[in-house]
Amino acid sequence: MRAEALLDGGSPVDGGGAASTPLLKTEMLTVRFGGLAALSEVNFQVAREEVRAVIGPNGAGKSTFFNCLTGVLRPSGGRIIFNGEDITGLRSNLISQKGIARSYQITNILPNATALENVRIAAQSRRHAWNMVSHHSAFADINARAEAALQSVGLLGKAGELAANLSHGEQRNLEIGIALATEPKLLCLDEPTAGMSAAETNETKELIRRIAKDLTILIVEHDMEVVMELCDRITVLHYGQILAEGTPEEIQANPKVLEVYLKT
Ligand SMILES: Nc1ncnc2c1ncn2[C@@H]1O[C@H](COP(=O)(O)OP(=O)(O)O)[C@@H](O)[C@H]1O
Ligand SMILES: [Mg+2]
């Protein structure tokens, strides 16, 4: 039995994770900060194995949206259904165990730990302590998983390097590795190429393309070239609401979207 099956929290709804249901769905998702609605009645769906971009001007509510999905923020209203289960308001560690991972906009690594230690800690967080102690095979499993995560972000050769000594681009990719080590079904990337050189951006784009083969990915990204090349569909947020949704081609040709971007 998997450790997560023993945990309370989350209740099955519509179809319990059948392949035909969306992996993620929000219904009327609303977040208010005082008088400001950072998200307002957002109805959103992502299909399994889709790569979806969430774009929009600064302050549109993109990070707030990710914060709700990952349990950092409790929504003021509405529901979040993940893999057929209502996860609204669950704590972030429970949501992580259910399979949503996130890499932060601001680097979130332990600088004085090695690259491998950084991903190993994340791999461990999926398991319960009792499981670790009673099954020595769990240790080998966690090491293997940590190494696989490093490999998939191209950092296996730097496993023993202190995270602080990695380049900025490598550190951002390590963050993606940390998220992957939790074996997510859904990976949320908040501005993965922010602050990267053109060469690093290209490498990260290839990295995301590689890991997207068997994952569902939500990506907040300002680099439109990255968005257009990587994503199946795009959702445009504006003042906490969905302004438009469609393929990259549809979004590029959408007059409402052009107006918002030309104004800012
Ligand atoms: N913790 C908070 N307290 C108050 N207001 C917030 C908080 N977080 C975000 N906001 C406000 O909510 C709106 C959406 O912010 P955010 O989700 O960070 O936008 P984005 O990521 O699209 O730039 C902004 O107006 C922002 O100032
Ligand atoms: Mg943001």
Side-chain angles (χ1 to χ4, degrees):
M1 182 188 280
R2 292 182 76 98
E4 66 198 76
L6 297 172
L7 294 168
D8 193 22
S11 42
V13 288
D14 65 3
S20 59
T21 59
L23 180 64
L24 175 75
K25 185 161 96 175
T26 72
E27 295 171 355
M28 305 292 275
L29 189 67
T30 299
V31 173
R32 279 182 286 269
F33 294 116
L36 173 89
L39 287 178
S40 188
E41 303 187 344
V42 171
N43 294 312
F44 178 87
Q45 287 199 6
V46 182
R48 284 157 209 276
E49 307 205 349
E50 184 179 345
V51 179
R52 172 74 61 92
V54 178
I55 67 171
N58 274 336
K62 305 178 298 294
S63 293
T64 300
F65 187 58
F66 274 18
N67 285 340
C68 287
L69 300 181
T70 53
V72 173
L73 257 182
R74 184 185 278 268
S76 327
R79 296 205 304 167
I80 303 169
I81 314 294
F82 177 66
N83 207 22
E85 204 178 317
D86 188 338
I87 61 160
T88 319
L90 292 189
R91 281 175 294 123
S92 57
N93 62 333
L94 212 46
I95 288 182
S96 159
Q97 286 174 354
K98 288 185 185 296
I100 302 183
R102 173 210 194 138
S103 92
Y104 279 85
Q105 197 169 343
I106 294 162
T107 296
N108 192 37
I109 56 180
L110 301 172
N112 296 320
T114 66
L116 183 63
E117 284 161 352
N118 266 280
V119 289
R120 193 160 48 201
I121 291 163
Q124 268 167 1
S125 73
R126 279 282 267 164
R127 298 288 150 104
H128 271 286
W130 61 262
N131 196 5
M132 293 277 302
V133 173
S134 54
H135 301 286
H136 103 276
S137 64
F139 286 106
D141 177 47
I142 278 164
N143 269 325
R145 210 134 46 83
E147 285 182 0
L150 274 189
Q151 167 101 53
S152 53
V153 296
L155 286 174
L156 193 53
K158 305 232 165 158
E161 194 72 63
L162 287 185
N165 295 339
L166 300 176
S167 72
H168 177 74
E170 287 169 339
Q171 290 183 356
R172 298 303 311 265
N173 293 345
L174 177 59
E175 265 194 89
I176 297 177
I178 290 169
L180 287 178
T182 66
E183 296 191 313
K185 297 183 181 77
L186 173 69
L187 176 63
C188 302
L189 300 171
D190 199 346
E191 303 194 23
T193 70
M196 285 188 173
S197 69
E200 287 173 334
T201 296
N202 259 323
E203 276 175 35
T204 299
K205 204 163 64 185
E206 287 315 312
L207 189 170
I208 295 170
R209 213 195 296 279
R210 245 182 4 251
I211 62 179
K213 287 197 178 118
D214 26 44
L215 253 185
T216 308
I217 298 184
L218 272 184
I219 174 170
V220 167
E221 176 62 63
H222 285 301
D223 185 329
M224 280 307 118
E225 211 173 296
V226 173
V227 169
M228 297 296 166
E229 280 182 39
L230 281 182
C231 298
D232 302 307
R233 292 174 69 76
I234 298 172
T235 298
V236 185
L237 276 183
H238 189 46
Y239 290 123
Q241 293 183 308
I242 294 180
L243 178 81
E245 217 161 54
T247 63
E249 293 72 28
E250 287 165 351
I251 292 300
Q252 268 176 314
N254 183 311
K256 280 193 293 187
V257 176
L258 291 174
E259 200 192 328
V260 163
Y261 273 95
L262 290 175
K263 270 192 192 160
T264 53

